Amino acid sequence: MNIHEYQAKELLKSYGIPIPPGEIVYSDRAAARVAEELGGTRWVVKAQIHAGGRGKGGGVKLANGPEKVTELADQMIGSTLITEQTGDTGRPVHRVLVERAARIDREFYLGMIVDRVSQRIVIIASAEGGVEIEQVAAERPEAIHKEYVDPGVGLLDFQCRKIATSIGLTNRAVPFTRLLKKMYRLFRDKDCLLLEINPFIVTEEGDMIALDAKMQFDDNALYRQGEVAELRDFDEEDPKEVEASGHGLNYIALDGSVGCIVNGAGLAMATMDAIVVHGGRPANFLDVGGGASPERVAEAFRLVLSDRNVKAILVNIFAGINRCDWVAQGVVQAAAGLKVPLIVRLAGTHAEQGNRIVRDSGLPIISASDLADAAQKAVAAART
Ligand code: ADP
Ligand code: MG
């Protein structure tokens, strides 16, 4: 799960990490009022979308007066912002963050992620933070420093000092250590997968401030992170994926013509590969998961069919905990009145009963014997 910059900054602030004074607004009128309340002479207006690269894409702009703040907020709110990370369709902007402009002396990159390979939390830091960090990472990886933290031991002072030295903050090692530890505590407390501050700055006055913030949380931990879960912005997610998750289904939208209903992410990958090998492309995949009741399967069909690009549906089930007869019941329920060809392959627990239900239904369902057969038939059906 992702959250907006302004929400991430609130969390940083609650852990004692300095952020610029600012406030979220939903209208241009509120923007000017906020600017005056914040005080100062220069402000920054920042579009809030779940994607980075806003600086280069025109989603972060400097204003020299309250009128300019109004003008920028008016331009941004209701517009569609396209950045390197949004894809060509861009993202609609519903709100902007108005902040006092900081006087930047130096910009750093500071990030934490869960690294699956080392099973550690990795701290990533660079003295070359800002909007070009991807380029720095690609061209000069030696400018990126990493420190692996054993979660059983925690972040140690010497590690913080090492990072401080690596990015040229040796003379501020003590406050930097304090700050990094707060960040680490936040990361652990909230079950983060990623916490990124880019840029993390030293101001001309010598203060260290988080000027941007991105946070990602472990979906599997949301059950114990009520406060975090409330920050979820459904407008930023694919509506079908949101609806699917409400039914305990995993739905991923793609751009081909074969709709895929499968059980398990591994089988989903294999099914998509098989479709491509046979010359087709998947329109989406929907994972019905372990205990697929007939109702859930029927719900899955409804979701897959709501995608107009779907020209054929392939149901590929390898039942272990699942039962093919249950899936078959759902398939038969949903298939009555179906306008696109339906290919079904059932294997595993109660496969025989499942196939019998499909056969006896009298519906024009195409049975397939194995994965290759199923993919071939689905691709052919989607073509006609
Ligand atoms: P993104 O990462 O999406 O491009 P950022 O929040 O990092 O957006 O903003 C881009 C750049 O704009 C930053 O690298 C920084 O130079 C500048 N900037 C952002 N917020 C402020 C601020 N409050 N004061 C001064 N400059 C800012
Ligand atoms: Mg940034």
Side-chain angles (χ1 to χ4, degrees), residues 24 40 44 46 61 84 111 113 128 143 187 196 207-208 218 222 230 242 249 252 258 269 291 324 333 339 357 363 371:
I24 191 75
V44 179
K46 310 182 78 177
K61 289 195 172 157
E84 272 175 10
I113 54 163
E128 302 185 37
F187 190 95
E196 190 180 76
D207 301 321
M208 292 189 285
D218 184 349
L222 287 181
E230 278 181 25
V242 172
L249 303 162
I252 307 288
V258 181
M269 299 296 164
C324 287
Q333 264 178 38
K339 297 207 171 47
I357 292 169
L363 292 167
L371 179 54

Side-chain angles (χ1 to χ4, degrees), residues 250-295:
N250 278 314
Y251 176 92
I252 307 288
L254 300 162
D255 58 6
S257 61
V258 181
C260 304
I261 297 176
V262 294
N263 69 309
L267 190 61
M269 299 296 164
T271 306
M272 292 194 294
D273 282 351
I275 288 169
V276 173
V277 164
H278 289 93
R281 291 188 61 76
N284 49 46
F285 85 73
L286 196 143
D287 175 7
V288 295
S293 63
E295 292 72 34

Side-chain angles (χ1 to χ4, degrees), residues 219-371:
D219 291 341
N220 294 317
L222 287 181
Y223 75 93
R224 63 179 188 192
Q225 296 289 355
E227 270 177 43
V228 169
E230 278 181 25
L231 300 177
R232 189 164 170 188
D233 180 359
F234 290 102
D235 284 344
E236 290 285 336
E237 299 177 30
D238 183 305
K240 279 199 244 113
E241 292 179 14
V242 172
E243 196 188 336
S245 74
H247 293 286
L249 303 162
N250 278 314
Y251 176 92
I252 307 288
L254 300 162
D255 58 6
S257 61
V258 181
C260 304
I261 297 176
V262 294
N263 69 309
L267 190 61
M269 299 296 164
T271 306
M272 292 194 294
D273 282 351
I275 288 169
V276 173
V277 164
H278 289 93
R281 291 188 61 76
N284 49 46
F285 85 73
L286 196 143
D287 175 7
V288 295
S293 63
E295 292 72 34
R296 230 155 97 184
V297 173
E299 196 54 50
F301 266 84
R302 216 177 49 67
L303 269 162
V304 167
L305 280 172
S306 64
D307 178 350
R308 290 183 201 296
N309 295 326
V310 170
K311 300 285 183 279
I313 297 185
L314 169 55
V315 176
N316 185 23
I317 301 291
F318 197 100
I321 317 167
N322 256 325
R323 287 174 43 175
C324 287
D325 49 340
W326 283 359
V327 173
Q329 280 172 32
V331 167
V332 169
Q333 264 178 38
L338 197 67
K339 297 207 171 47
V340 299
L342 170 62
I343 296 84
V344 177
R345 180 253 180 159
L346 299 172
T349 310
H350 290 196
E352 224 168 277
Q353 290 94 314
N355 281 316
R356 193 174 322 119
I357 292 169
V358 170
R359 234 184 358 255
D360 293 349
S361 70
L363 292 167
I365 299 172
I366 304 166
S367 279
S369 54
D370 57 33
L371 179 54

Side-chain angles (χ1 to χ4, degrees), residues 37-52:
E37 277 170 18
L38 293 173
T41 52
R42 290 158 69 247
W43 299 271
V44 179
V45 181
K46 310 182 78 177
Q48 299 295 292
I49 56 169
H50 282 189

Side-chain angles (χ1 to χ4, degrees), residues 132-296:
E132 307 283 357
I133 190 69
E134 283 84 6
Q135 201 180 336
V136 174
E139 290 170 8
R140 283 181 308 104
E142 70 281 0
I144 309 278
H145 306 275
K146 292 185 182 168
E147 194 62 37
Y148 293 80
V149 183
D150 183 334
V153 179
L155 176 61
L156 301 173
D157 285 22
F158 86 91
Q159 294 180 300
C160 300
R161 284 196 296 272
K162 235 167 100 182
I163 298 165
T165 306
S166 71
I167 59 174
L169 283 176
T170 316
N171 58 343
R172 291 177 200 277
V174 173
F176 181 77
T177 297
R178 229 179 286 139
L179 194 134
L180 208 53
K181 287 193 160 182
K182 288 173 182 164
M183 238 175 109
Y184 181 79
R185 199 154 46 78
L186 169 62
F187 190 95
R188 287 295 307 267
D189 285 358
K190 303 292 180 192
D191 290 308
C192 288
L193 292 180
L194 175 140
L195 168 51
E196 190 180 76
I197 301 179
N198 183 35
F200 166 76
I201 64 157
V202 174
T203 66
E204 287 174 6
E205 297 80 17
D207 301 321
M208 292 189 285
I209 302 182
L211 221 50
D212 187 12
K214 174 174 175 173
M215 291 180 86
Q216 241 166 39
F217 302 89
D218 184 349
D219 291 341
N220 294 317
L222 287 181
Y223 75 93
R224 63 179 188 192
Q225 296 289 355
E227 270 177 43
V228 169
E230 278 181 25
L231 300 177
R232 189 164 170 188
D233 180 359
F234 290 102
D235 284 344
E236 290 285 336
E237 299 177 30
D238 183 305
K240 279 199 244 113
E241 292 179 14
V242 172
E243 196 188 336
S245 74
H247 293 286
L249 303 162
N250 278 314
Y251 176 92
I252 307 288
L254 300 162
D255 58 6
S257 61
V258 181
C260 304
I261 297 176
V262 294
N263 69 309
L267 190 61
M269 299 296 164
T271 306
M272 292 194 294
D273 282 351
I275 288 169
V276 173
V277 164
H278 289 93
R281 291 188 61 76
N284 49 46
F285 85 73
L286 196 143
D287 175 7
V288 295
S293 63
E295 292 72 34
R296 230 155 97 184

